[in-house]
Amino acid sequence: MNNTKIINDPVFGFIKIPRGLLYGIVEHPLFQRLNRINQLGLASVVYPGARHTRFQHSLGAFHLMTEAVRSLQEKGNFIFDSEAEAVEAAILMHDIGHGPFSHVLEDTLIHGISHEEISLLMMEQINHDLGGQLNLAISIFKGDYPKNFLHQLISSQLDMDRLDYLRRDSFYTGVTEGNIGSARIIKMLNVIDDSLVVEHKGIYSLENYLTTRRLMYWQVYLHRTCVAYEKVLVNMLNRAKNLIRMGQEVFASPALLYFLENNVDADWFASHPETLTYYGELDDSDLWSAMKAWKHHDDKILSTLAKDMLDRHIFKVEVTEEPAEKTHIETIAKEISAQMDISIEDAKQYMISVNTISKDMYNVEDDSIAILYKDGTIRDISEASELLNVQLLSKKIRKYYLCYQRFE
């Protein structure tokens, strides 16, 4: 009997998953659910090819982890087989707690609990279902295990999660500038004093990686149209929640209805065991099917926002270096109020969205990457790089987004 399952991945080629614990995770219903959640949420509104899933990303990150473990072992870093399997299991499950449409729902359907915390709850569930075989994987994921560098491979500046999603998102969006040399970075990894370092020969690949990440954020993840489309989704869900709380009937699948009816936060998850079951049933299709019903709802605001989502009628967006003037927002609210025959308050709450988005691509405190020289000395990339202007990279860019319903 063949002891490995082979999956053909368009980014990395053949990915081998050993039968046993690792394949058991892939077959688990909570992992299979990732097939029904798009990795880039609503980015396909700008990049039609960006329809890859969190399932594909998790397999890609797993593949890179197997490469990283092998590379580190070849350099004499001692990693037990049990540790290798555990760190590979942990990266497989690192995104398992994501809800539909990526991060958008973390402050809408739920709040006060991150997808990482939900991932941990789901890992505990899978661990229970697989008879406690994931104790070591969970310990590494949480950063409790003595070998810190194993945790860094899952969560750090140079984790396998980032190395996969930059390559994969670049591939599927067609933004070729995002293509990073993940194989070379992995080959240059080493461990000194229980911390990951990158050998000096890999510095050019790292420079490309850091600048690429900045480019992908503004060109893909925070693209103005994607941001505006997400605001339509958030406002639509908030309207549905409020209608339900006012006693109106709003169609939704049982899983979606649970989160629309209840105020779900970390305490709620802790005290209502059924919450995780409902969350595990939520995927992108719950929301799309709800929208198809909501566009026929009697409520003008909900039906307009649902049509906006389904017909790609995206909020108009103004991106500025300074916050929008209050008088400008008032004028827009009055126009929307008149056009839709709704109150100015409702226009402001549901048909307009004001946001500040800031991003720094390199934070000297959090994001240091240690470069190892041939003589054994270690310097941070900010000192080692001749090309990178760390002052520029670490400068926090702040942009103000004003999104609102359009009528043309």
Side-chain angles (χ1 to χ4, degrees):
M1 181 183 155
N2 189 349
N3 286 329
T4 48
K5 189 82 175 166
I6 295 176
I7 292 171
N8 195 351
D9 176 60
V11 179
F12 295 122
F14 293 120
I15 294 176
K16 295 177 181 175
I17 304 165
R19 291 188 187 275
L21 175 63
L22 294 166
Y23 192 60
I25 293 167
V26 172
E27 285 196 305
H28 195 280
L30 287 177
F31 192 85
Q32 287 294 320
R33 162 183 170 270
L34 298 179
N35 263 315
R36 303 188 299 277
I37 295 178
N38 274 357
Q39 169 76 5
L40 285 184
L42 294 166
S44 59
V45 76
V46 178
Y47 300 102
R51 297 201 174 262
H52 53 303
T53 62
R54 294 218 167 261
F55 181 87
Q56 292 166 279
H57 160 61
S58 299
L59 290 179
F62 160 79
H63 168 74
L64 293 180
M65 184 66 83
T66 61
E67 300 280 301
V69 166
R70 187 184 306 124
S71 178
L72 290 173
Q73 284 174 325
E74 284 168 358
K75 290 178 182 175
N77 296 292
F78 198 72
I79 302 170
F80 289 107
D81 288 348
S82 58
E83 291 171 334
E85 184 180 61
V87 78
E88 287 161 8
I91 198 72
L92 258 184
M93 297 184 293
H94 78 283
D95 261 359
I96 209 156
H98 265 289
F101 298 110
S102 194
H103 301 270
V104 178
L105 304 191
E106 277 183 49
D107 296 315
T108 314
L109 290 183
I110 57 172
H111 56 96
I113 183 167
S114 66
H115 72 270
E116 288 92 353
E117 292 168 282
I118 298 173
S119 289
L120 204 47
L121 293 174
M122 288 190 169
M123 282 184 201
E124 302 283 4
Q125 176 67 52
I126 297 173
N127 193 26
H128 173 268
D129 296 344
L130 297 180
Q133 296 181 73
L134 295 174
N135 291 338
L136 183 54
I138 290 170
S139 174
I140 292 171
F141 180 81
K142 287 161 72 174
D144 293 343
Y145 191 65
K147 289 188 179 175
N148 175 55
F149 75 88
L150 292 174
H151 175 71
Q152 286 182 308
L153 287 169
I154 300 164
S155 180
S156 71
Q157 269 302 292
L158 285 171
D159 59 40
M160 300 307 112
D161 171 30
R162 291 181 196 203
L163 291 184
D164 179 80
Y165 77 63
L166 286 173
R167 275 286 299 274
R168 191 166 300 278
D169 296 349
S170 160
F171 178 88
Y172 280 100
T173 55
V175 179
T176 49
E177 299 93 333
N179 199 357
I180 55 161
S182 53
R184 180 155 178 82
I185 291 173
I186 286 171
K187 283 276 181 283
M188 295 297 123
L189 285 179
N190 212 330
V191 179
I192 301 288
D193 297 333
D194 195 29
S195 276
L196 285 182
V197 296
V198 180
E199 292 163 8
H200 185 257
K201 285 183 293 184
I203 196 160
Y204 297 121
S205 300
L206 277 183
E207 289 167 338
N208 177 41
Y209 162 72
L210 286 171
T211 46
T212 289
R213 229 173 74 214
R214 189 184 188 97
L215 178 142
M216 286 292 283
Y217 266 94
W218 291 116
Q219 200 166 327
V220 178
Y221 311 131
L222 298 175
H223 189 289
R224 58 191 292 156
T225 308
C226 299
V227 171
Y229 201 29
E230 285 177 1
K231 297 311 167 196
V232 180
L233 175 63
V234 167
N235 289 6
M236 180 189 69
L237 287 169
N238 283 332
R239 182 61 175 176
K241 271 168 94 167
N242 288 338
L243 289 175
I244 285 171
R245 285 160 201 198
M246 291 190 286
Q248 290 209 37
E249 203 169 299
V250 174
F251 168 84
S253 66
L256 179 56
L257 193 60
Y258 183 86
F259 290 93
L260 292 172
E261 285 179 336
N262 298 301
N263 200 13
V264 178
D265 57 11
D267 291 339
W268 184 279
F269 263 97
S271 55
H272 295 75
E274 78 280 2
T275 310
L276 195 64
T277 306
Y278 278 119
Y279 190 87
E281 288 176 5
L282 260 189
D283 57 48
D284 291 1
S285 60
D286 291 78
L287 275 85
W288 286 117
S289 58
M291 289 175 217
K292 285 156 80 175
W294 293 352
K295 83 173 196 179
H296 303 293
H297 199 279
D298 293 340
D299 181 74
K300 200 178 292 179
I301 293 170
L302 184 64
S303 65
T304 301
L305 292 169
K307 282 186 200 125
D308 286 350
M309 286 297 301
L310 290 164
D311 301 342
R312 200 185 179 277
H313 193 251
I314 300 154
F315 276 1
K316 193 172 174 64
V317 58
E318 295 173 10
V319 183
T320 51
E321 306 295 317
E322 298 293 329
E325 297 282 342
K326 282 196 175 139
T327 51
H328 181 45
I329 297 170
E330 285 290 336
T331 305
I332 293 168
K334 281 177 188 162
E335 281 175 20
I336 293 171
S337 164
Q339 285 268 10
M340 291 183 68
D341 191 22
I342 58 174
S343 71
I344 289 182
E345 286 67 36
D346 279 348
K348 279 185 188 168
Q349 187 174 353
Y350 299 111
M351 312 314 290
I352 297 176
S353 183
V354 182
N355 295 87
T356 308
I357 296 179
S358 58
K359 194 85 201 158
D360 51 354
M361 289 316 343
Y362 184 87
N363 183 315
V364 181
E365 281 78 43
D366 301 340
D367 297 351
S368 63
I369 297 175
I371 305 296
L372 175 67
Y373 286 82
K374 273 189 179 160
D375 62 4
T377 56
I378 292 174
R379 287 163 70 193
D380 188 77
I381 189 162
S382 56
E383 302 164 41
S385 170
E386 296 161 13
L387 291 180
L388 278 187
N389 181 338
V390 172
Q391 270 70 38
L392 188 64
L393 269 181
S394 55
K395 181 182 169 209
K396 195 177 273 294
I397 293 182
R398 184 171 279 110
K399 294 184 182 181
Y400 298 91
Y401 288 69
L402 172 62
C403 311
Y404 53 91
Q405 181 70 27
R406 61 171 83 221
F407 292 104
E408 67 271 13

